[in-house]
């Protein structure tokens, strides 16, 4: 646990008592503050009461009269599409609003660090797609290199649940736009921007607000180094704003769309080869094509970002390459779950938007595509340009027929995962990939994308076992 600094003796309100909210309450109490908790869900309030936290209805008049700050959980809107009424009441009362990420950055460093030989550092990763894999990959490389490291944020543990820093430790944080948008302190040593595509637009008031939320990771605290994907206009703009000169190696540009030239520090992947260039000269190269845990151009972008971070942390290319080859991949993200009869089965349930699904479709040569679910804003037309490798689509979800009508490939309405897996396996031939890449949210049929991926995995394994007579 990281005790929160700066609030000793103060009453701090906490809105939302999920994982991050309860962790914030514990850390505030450990730092000498008095947490005052509220959640609309009675079960969440009851769970907080079992830990002896004070419960107070923050919607009542005068609730913020003696409150020093309000800590808000990520899922609660503070501006768009409309502020939560309790957040609005706090702002009208002049009470500062923050989240657990802001508390972490103000509390991570302590006086004990004076005894360390090497200062701990924080790597923070944001972007629309690939941030989970990039974060996990950096963490994996550091562990394989024997470096002390922890992984937290939008993946793994909550930031305030981390253990106190060790000498030379590197903490890797995955941060969503919901987390970066509100945090009052954002001071990573290395900040990573993977890419940008439309997502969460209602929460941020459009693409401009969405990009602004991501950009805060770079503008609020000024990281020592910035690793920036420049395959979209927003990334190009951000890299240009962060660099003082064309040769400024505090900015490492990454790409999977083109070779990056110029006098700066560049890492890019083309035709399956990762290349590092510094001052216009090649410094290293890695063949990514045989690394099973990182299939496709989208994972090659993740590899470029992780490689750049680890080079900035002082690791040698050969050390990074060895760790890349041992990376097992993350569940639900281009995860190979089985191979049988020449057919590969891949669980990419995390591909919940059009852009991430398009990246998955580009990663395999002949695809039996399981897709569908709760459609997001913008429709599916952009996917059709990336469906050249799709032999057939098998559509799930409550609105499967409407989803299928937007696809320019042969599509079968299956509705359920069980039916989709059955039909895809019946049609599959050696060399095919049965790919779950829904391009939609899961909430019409599942609690979350993990549950959807687990269902796909269970259905595939059960049918393979039946075919094997087990």
């Amino acid at each position: 646990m990281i005790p929160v600094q700066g609030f000793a003796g103060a009453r701090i309100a906490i809105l939302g008592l999920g994982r991050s909210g309860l962790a914030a309450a514990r850390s505030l109490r450990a730092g000498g503050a008095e947490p005052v908790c509220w959640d609309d869900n009675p079960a969440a309030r009851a769970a907080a009461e079992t830990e002896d936290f004070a419960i107070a209805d923050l919607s009542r008049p005068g609730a913020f009269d003696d409150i020093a700050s309000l800590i808000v959980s990520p899922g609660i809107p503070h501006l768009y599409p409309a502020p939560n009424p309790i957040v609005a009441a706090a702002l009208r009362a002049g009470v500062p609003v923050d989240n657990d990420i802001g508390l972490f950055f103000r509390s991570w460093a302590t006086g004990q660090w004076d005894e360390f030989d090497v200062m701990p550092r924080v790597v923070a990763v944001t972007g629309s797609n690939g941030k989970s894999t990039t974060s996990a990959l950096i963490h994996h490389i550091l562990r394989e290199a024997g470096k002390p490291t922890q992984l937290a944020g939008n993946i793994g543990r909550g930031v305030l649940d981390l253990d106190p820093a060790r000498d030379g430790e590197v903490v890797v944080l995955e941060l969503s736009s919901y987390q970066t948008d509100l945090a009052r302190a954002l001071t990573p040593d290395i900040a990573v921007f993977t890419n940008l595509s439309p997502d969460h637009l209602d929460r941020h008031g459009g693409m401009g607000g969405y990009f602004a939320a991501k950009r805060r990771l770079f503008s609020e605290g000024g990281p020592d180094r910035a690793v920036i994907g420049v395959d979209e206009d927003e990334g190009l703009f951000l890299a240009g704003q962060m660099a003082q000169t064309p040769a400024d190696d505090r900015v490492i540009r990454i790409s999977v769309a083109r070779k990056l030239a110029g006098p700066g520090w560049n890492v890019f992947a083309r035709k399956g080869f990762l290349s590092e260039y510094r001052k216009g000269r090649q410094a290293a190269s890695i063949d990514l094509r045989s690394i099973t845990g990182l299939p496709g151009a989208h994972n090659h972008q993740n590899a470029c970002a992780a490689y750049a971070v680890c080079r900035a942390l002082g690791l040698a290319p050969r050390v990074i390459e060895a760790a890349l080859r041992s990376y097992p991949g993350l569940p639900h993200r281009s995860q190979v779950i089985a191979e049988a009869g020449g057919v590969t089965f891949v669980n990419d349930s995390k591909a919940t938007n059009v852009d991430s699904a398009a990246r998955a479709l580009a990663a395999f040569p002949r695809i039996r595509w399981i897709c569908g679910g709760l459609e997001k804003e913008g429709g599916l037309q952009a996917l059709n340009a990336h469906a050249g490798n799709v032999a057939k689509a098998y559509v799930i979800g409550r609105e499967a027929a409407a989803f299928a009508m937007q696809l320019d490939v042969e599509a079968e309405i299956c509705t359920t995962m069980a039916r989709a897996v059955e039909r895809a396996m019946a049609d599959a031939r050696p060399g095919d990939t049965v790919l779950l890449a829904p391009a939609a949210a899961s909430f019409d049929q599942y609690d979350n994308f993990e549950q959807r991926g687990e269902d796909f995995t269970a259905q595939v394994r059960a049918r393979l076992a039946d075919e094997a007579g087990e």
Side-chain angles (χ1 to χ4, degrees), residues 13-330:
I14 298 171
L15 177 61
L17 298 173
R19 184 186 69 167
S20 66
L22 278 176
R26 296 182 193 112
S27 294
L28 282 160
R29 183 162 62 186
E34 181 184 346
V36 178
C37 302
W38 182 252
D39 194 298
D40 291 339
N41 185 342
R45 298 198 299 268
E49 285 183 309
T50 64
E51 298 187 41
D52 295 324
F53 287 117
I55 304 296
D57 185 353
L58 297 176
S59 65
R60 62 177 172 77
F64 290 98
D65 288 350
D66 59 349
I67 296 297
S69 185
L70 171 65
I71 308 304
V72 179
S73 292
I76 298 172
H78 58 274
L79 188 56
Y80 301 115
N84 178 279
I86 291 174
V87 175
L91 293 173
R92 285 194 296 268
V95 173
V97 179
D98 204 350
N99 62 14
D100 62 327
I101 304 300
L103 296 180
F104 167 82
F105 276 109
R106 70 180 288 164
S107 306
W108 174 238
T110 69
Q112 295 177 336
W113 289 23
D114 293 339
E115 302 173 7
F116 291 161
D117 292 327
V118 179
M119 289 295 101
R121 284 174 284 186
V122 175
V123 176
V125 181
T126 196
S128 295
N129 298 301
K131 56 186 179 291
S132 294
T133 296
T134 298
S135 301
L137 188 53
I138 295 167
H139 179 60
H140 172 78
I141 294 168
L142 291 169
R143 282 194 308 177
E144 292 293 294
K147 305 293 184 182
T149 180
Q150 298 183 73
L151 177 66
N154 205 43
I155 185 174
R157 305 161 74 179
V159 292
L160 294 172
D161 279 333
L162 287 169
D163 299 326
R166 294 170 287 176
D167 194 335
E169 184 164 49
V170 179
V171 164
V172 185
L173 303 181
E174 179 199 338
L175 299 182
S176 71
S177 58
Y178 289 10
Q179 294 169 309
T180 59
D181 197 20
L182 188 59
R184 294 174 64 86
L186 284 169
T187 54
D189 298 278
I190 300 175
V192 181
F193 177 88
T194 58
N195 51 61
L196 197 77
S197 61
D199 207 1
H200 310 304
L201 299 189
D202 58 335
R203 174 64 180 263
H204 298 293
M207 277 296 287
Y210 181 45
F211 176 54
K214 302 288 189 183
R215 184 179 176 276
R216 290 189 78 246
L217 184 62
F218 300 81
S219 61
E220 291 300 304
D224 294 336
R225 277 229 161 79
V227 175
I228 301 175
V230 295
D231 289 340
E232 293 89 29
D233 289 341
E234 291 87 354
L236 275 172
F237 175 80
L238 181 58
Q241 286 219 312
M242 296 299 294
Q244 294 296 320
T245 69
D248 187 350
D249 69 359
R250 293 175 302 172
V251 176
I252 308 176
R253 293 168 173 82
I254 63 170
S255 175
V256 289
R258 65 188 187 280
K259 177 179 178 179
L260 298 178
W265 194 348
N266 301 306
V267 179
F268 58 89
R270 296 183 70 201
K271 298 180 180 179
F273 286 87
L274 180 153
S275 297
E276 176 190 3
Y277 274 71
R278 300 187 72 172
K279 299 179 180 179
R281 296 184 177 182
Q282 186 169 8
S285 178
I286 297 174
D287 185 352
L288 301 173
R289 294 172 300 176
S290 61
I291 299 178
T292 57
L294 296 167
H298 61 305
N299 275 309
H300 294 175
Q301 183 182 57
N302 301 333
C304 285
Y307 177 94
V309 167
C310 292
R311 289 289 284 139
L313 291 170
L315 297 187
R318 59 179 176 78
V319 173
I320 300 172
E321 179 176 3
L324 290 175
R325 297 196 179 282
S326 65
Y327 178 65
L330 278 177

